[in-house]
Amino acid sequence: MNTVFFKTIPLLLLVFVTTHATAQNLKLLNGSWFNGERFEKKDTMYVNEGFFSNEAPQVALDTTLDFTGKYLLPPFVEAHTHNLSSSYGLQGILQAYLEEGTFYVQVLGCSQKARTEVVEILETSKSFLEPSFSNGGITSSLGHPFMIYEPLAMGIYDPATRKDRYQEVIKSRLAQNDAYWFFDTVAEADQHWDELMKTQPDVIKIMLIDAENYQQQQKDSTFIGRKGVSPEVAQHVVEKAHKAGLRVFSHIETANDFRLGLDIGVDVFAHMPGYGYGGTGDLGKYQLTPEDFKRAATQGVAIIPTAYLALRRLPRKNTAVKEKALSAILEFQKSFFEAAAHFEIQMALGADDFGETLMKEVKYLQENGLLSNLGLLQMMTENGAKICFPDKKIGALAEGFEGSFLVLEQNPILDFSTLDNIVLRVKKGKVLH
Ligand SMILES: [Zn+2]
């Protein structure tokens, strides 16, 4: 058995652990460990067959690591992404997740075909990354996410080509009952339900897009790609999902979508209402009342805000207009996060942007002072785990939980920038490189 002193000889450690990349039984000494509220000093902890244990394993230890002066916290969960909805650029994405310390991701929309392909790549390469999938989104005919996934299925990747071939796209159905499901009626939901269940979704994803105006959207072709399910179908799908033991994550746009979601028993909102508010126009339809927050808290629903997406809606005009819009966005978001904190709404975080990872959203929230460092860390670890992976023992550094952790030089509650320099990543007792 060897004891490696992290503090004094970090380089030697790296050489040493390279040869022990498969170690699963570890003795961990010292360091400050995140307990969900603060970092507390610990003398000894073990990893036994990949899980934390207070007791020494019965078998021989593979190695001992000394974390004197270091800070340990659980790896991160990205709660809303569409990365992994294709194997395109997968290696780069995996590298980004590894570097930022995200080991678990929830993919809220993808084709079953792509999922199968990606999961096979992850399994064959024994990847550190563990995904969960909603599979296809439930919407109405030609609703969101049709205009995302149908062109992709047709091999159209460029938005300009998508425009040129628009008539062809809206007649095509290559990704139907795969990357999207058109449930226009309760009967259609019943008819395709078994087929949907065969794709083995981990959660169900529905689209509520200004759902109170559903009837009007159906009559107007400008809503193609920008509409979701009717309130009746949404309610029916939530009932069916719950009967099947599946939780429902809902895309929403407005405060009334949020209220409808609460009425019908949605479990998690995949956005905050008004996530797409670009800083101009009517804000009223996006603002929740204290009563709404109170109901959400009582029902125990969670929200994945995807706040940074608002930047994509900023007006592309001159700087003055842009700056004014940006401050309106931040003011709106600040009041949302203050109320959410006041009513203790559970939140997890995700960038919801193909090619971007969790840290994009986290840094936006941190740099704009929308959430505290501690609040962010809780959402990235324990909350993300509970909301997205309730069946996994992850998100805490405690007996019985996965022996997975990140090691930092500084206390990230005091110095958030230390997250840019993770010194060691361990997954179930294995040191990652
Ligand atoms: Zn999304």
Side-chain angles (χ1 to χ4, degrees), residues 170-186:
I170 61 171
K171 285 190 192 96
S172 179
R173 295 288 184 275
L174 295 177
Q176 187 170 10
N177 301 340
D178 181 8
Y180 57 84
W181 300 77
F182 292 159
F183 292 172
D184 291 344
T185 60
V186 163

Side-chain angles (χ1 to χ4, degrees), residues 230-392:
S230 71
E232 301 75 50
V233 170
Q235 179 169 17
H236 188 65
V237 166
V238 172
E239 281 167 15
K240 288 181 88 71
H242 286 171
K243 255 182 218 156
L246 293 170
R247 294 173 311 138
V248 178
F249 284 57
S250 181
H251 174 113
I252 54 163
E253 299 272 333
T254 66
N256 278 344
D257 289 337
F258 187 86
R259 291 171 192 129
L260 170 64
L262 291 178
D263 289 343
I264 65 177
V266 160
D267 300 279
V268 181
F269 291 102
H271 302 283
M272 60 184 273
Y275 76 94
Y277 169 64
T280 57
D282 178 21
L283 186 55
K285 63 179 179 183
Y286 300 129
Q287 284 168 319
L288 298 179
T289 64
E291 199 50 46
D292 296 327
F293 280 108
K294 214 187 249 172
R295 261 181 85 199
T298 310
Q299 289 182 218
V301 301
I303 304 175
I304 305 162
T306 68
Y308 121 91
L309 288 184
L311 296 186
R312 298 200 309 197
R313 308 277 172 102
L314 275 177
R316 284 176 207 175
K317 288 187 194 147
N318 63 59
T319 329
V321 174
K322 222 175 179 173
E323 268 172 20
K324 201 172 158 220
L326 182 59
S327 66
I329 290 171
L330 291 174
E331 197 184 318
F332 164 61
Q333 292 183 341
K334 200 164 177 248
S335 68
F336 170 85
F337 284 109
E338 276 171 8
H342 176 78
F343 289 99
E344 298 181 355
I345 305 289
Q346 292 249 22
M347 288 198 277
L349 305 174
D352 183 28
D353 197 2
F354 191 84
E356 298 291 354
T357 55
L358 173 66
M359 275 300 166
K360 190 81 183 182
E361 170 77 351
V362 168
K363 287 197 170 167
Y364 170 79
L365 296 166
Q366 206 267 344
E367 284 160 10
N368 288 297
L370 294 167
L371 287 166
S372 68
N373 293 351
L374 175 61
L376 288 165
L377 293 172
Q378 290 168 332
M379 291 174 201
M380 295 156 76
T381 58
E382 189 180 344
N383 289 8
K386 281 185 185 155
I387 293 166
C388 304
F389 294 91
D391 300 332
K392 280 191 199 295

